[in-house]
Amino acid sequence: MNIEKAVEVLDQMRLPNGAYIASPSKDYHYVWIRDVFYSTLPFMNTPSERFEKAYHALFDLFKRYEWKIDIHTKHKPTFLYEYIHSRYSVDLEEIDVEWGHAQNDAIGAFLWGVGEGVRHGQKIIREKDDLRIIQKLVQYLQCLEYWHASDNGMWEENMELHASSVGACVAGLEAVKMLVEVDPELISKGRETLSYLLPRESETKDVDLALLSLIYPYRVVDRPTALVIIENVANSLERTNGCIRYHHDQYYNEGSEAEWCFGFPWLGLCYLELGMLHKAQEYRLKTERLISENWDIPELFVGGSNVPNGNTPLAWAVSLSYLFLKWVRNTDIISSTSYYESNAE
């Protein structure tokens, strides 16, 4: 299998401004902050124009709407449109459509990507104005009191307190504290929330695919908690063509929950983080089975069928599959550098 074909597919979804659309499909021909984050993860560890330009585009987006950030560093948003929007046009402009924009995890993801990118030598910070934006986003999360704030979460649905959102913010704040001022209490409050909320995702969801983000990429849970999360997800959510997001998910549900293709490589990446190479190899085979020669990996297979939906390819799915297969072929390196192995209790 030519895994470098994946980069060609991702490049087809890369815009001239450096950002990525979620998919070429009609429904997903937009820029999501979160999707840009996941689409660029394969390029994070080594200085890359793909990574740097994507983050420059997001910095420019935040500068365009800095007036909104300024308001909500002092006053909490009341309506969803007042939050930093999660989805934009290809020109990086807000879209005047009702949407679940309260997505604190997207802000945490951006901050984490900036901090980790800088740590890996990426030329992300161009000027002091970029640092100003980072500082204001920290203040935005503080104003929201993210550690006990309801939001729409990774799946853009009902408002409640999500462990995956809190964890993303904790990770993001940890990552940028070397660049800007971050009150340590801002991080400790988030960790306190995780300590009582986990291993549940929220009040209504005991198991959720989004929880994998706390293991990879964020590494914000200890090894025992990570093992519980990954066991719960694998045992409860895994299906034939990927993973369902959570029980009773109604998105593309035709008699049963839709099966999301990036579930397999995401589980594989988490097993690599845990140093469980034998399990990672299992998911390598499961992931490869879903990849066609042209790497058009769909978002999901419609529930109760073997039919992919129209959001094909999905940049997020292509990205995680490519990243996982590339890493799993270098298991000697992974086994010696695994975060959870080197930090085992």
Side-chain angles (χ1 to χ4, degrees):
M1 176 182 290
N2 177 17
I3 67 171
E4 295 305 319
K5 176 69 176 176
V7 179
E8 296 178 23
V9 175
L10 288 171
D11 281 347
Q12 292 168 11
M13 291 178 273
R14 187 175 179 229
L15 298 169
N17 58 28
Y20 288 75
I21 56 172
S23 175
S25 72
K26 179 181 177 182
D27 290 343
Y28 277 17
H29 201 268
Y30 300 103
V31 173
W32 272 267
I33 294 172
R34 182 189 307 101
D35 286 66
V36 173
F37 168 77
Y38 279 102
S39 297
T40 56
L41 280 177
F43 313 114
M44 185 183 71
N45 288 351
T46 304
S48 164
E49 184 189 42
R50 291 181 177 90
F51 190 91
E52 291 170 356
K53 285 196 68 176
Y55 276 82
H56 293 163
L58 293 179
F59 268 117
D60 292 344
L61 181 159
F62 287 129
K63 288 173 188 174
R64 177 178 295 178
Y65 294 101
E66 189 172 359
W67 60 269
K68 173 182 284 191
I69 301 173
D70 285 340
I71 292 172
H72 300 299
T73 57
K74 300 178 180 64
H75 305 285
K76 291 183 182 181
T78 301
F79 303 102
L80 289 176
Y81 69 83
E82 294 179 316
Y83 285 82
I84 298 174
H85 280 204
S86 58
R87 186 183 71 150
Y88 298 82
S89 71
V90 295
D91 296 322
L92 305 182
E93 294 183 353
E94 289 186 350
I95 301 167
D96 188 18
V97 175
E98 287 189 20
W99 203 262
H101 287 302
Q103 296 176 34
N104 298 343
D105 74 291
I107 305 305
F110 172 76
L111 293 176
W112 187 88
V114 169
E116 283 295 297
V118 169
R119 194 169 71 84
H120 285 91
Q122 304 278 2
K123 295 182 176 63
I124 299 174
I125 308 299
R126 299 163 294 182
E127 55 193 3
K128 63 181 181 181
D129 289 346
D130 290 339
L131 291 173
R132 184 185 72 238
I133 291 296
I134 297 171
Q135 188 69 70
K136 288 185 178 182
L137 290 176
V138 170
Q139 294 168 335
Y140 174 82
L141 292 179
Q142 184 170 17
C143 180
L144 290 176
E145 298 182 326
Y146 80 89
W147 56 91
H148 59 202
S150 295
D151 75 340
N152 295 118
M154 184 176 287
W155 311 130
E156 307 184 324
E157 295 183 337
N158 57 306
M159 291 281 286
E160 58 181 337
L161 180 63
H162 293 91
S164 59
S165 292
V166 174
C169 294
V170 168
L173 292 168
E174 286 276 13
V176 298
K177 67 183 183 182
M178 63 178 178
L179 299 173
V180 298
E181 183 178 345
V182 178
D183 185 343
E185 189 176 0
L186 201 55
I187 297 172
S188 63
K189 286 180 176 178
R191 290 196 176 277
E192 183 179 350
T193 296
L194 292 177
S195 71
Y196 73 76
L197 191 55
L198 290 173
R200 295 181 64 89
E201 162 69 345
S202 65
E203 182 179 350
T204 66
K205 300 182 182 72
D206 55 348
V207 186
D208 192 303
L209 191 60
L211 288 167
L212 293 183
S213 65
L214 305 184
I215 305 171
Y216 179 83
Y218 298 134
R219 300 170 169 176
V220 292
V221 292
D222 59 22
R223 184 179 179 83
T225 305
L227 289 170
V228 172
I229 288 172
I230 200 168
E231 182 179 5
N232 288 347
V233 170
N235 291 344
S236 186
L237 304 184
E238 186 173 329
R239 300 292 187 269
T240 303
N241 295 308
C243 297
I244 65 172
R245 298 187 297 183
Y246 53 86
H247 291 291
H248 311 299
D249 183 3
Q250 294 304 301
Y251 184 67
Y252 280 95
N253 187 320
E254 298 294 338
S256 61
E257 299 94 340
E259 301 173 14
W260 288 64
C261 298
F262 58 51
F264 285 161
W266 207 349
L267 278 165
L269 286 163
C270 290
Y271 280 119
L272 286 179
E273 288 285 357
L274 290 162
M276 300 170 70
L277 305 186
H278 62 294
K279 292 296 294 184
Q281 291 294 347
E282 286 183 27
Y283 285 91
R284 176 183 65 82
L285 297 175
K286 293 176 181 181
T287 299
E288 289 177 343
R289 183 172 54 78
L290 294 179
I291 300 173
S292 62
E293 187 175 341
N294 62 10
W295 273 80
D296 282 349
I297 306 174
E299 175 183 46
L300 57 81
F301 282 78
V302 178
S305 77
N306 285 315
V307 179
N309 74 344
N311 300 324
T312 304
L314 184 77
W316 189 346
V318 174
S319 170
L320 288 191
S321 298
Y322 169 65
L323 182 61
F324 170 52
L325 294 181
K326 190 171 184 178
W327 282 9
V328 81
R329 292 183 179 189
N330 293 285
T331 51
D332 290 341
I333 297 174
I334 293 294
S335 62
S336 65
T337 60
S338 166
Y339 173 80
Y340 284 97
E341 284 291 277
S342 60
N343 291 271
E345 295 180 351

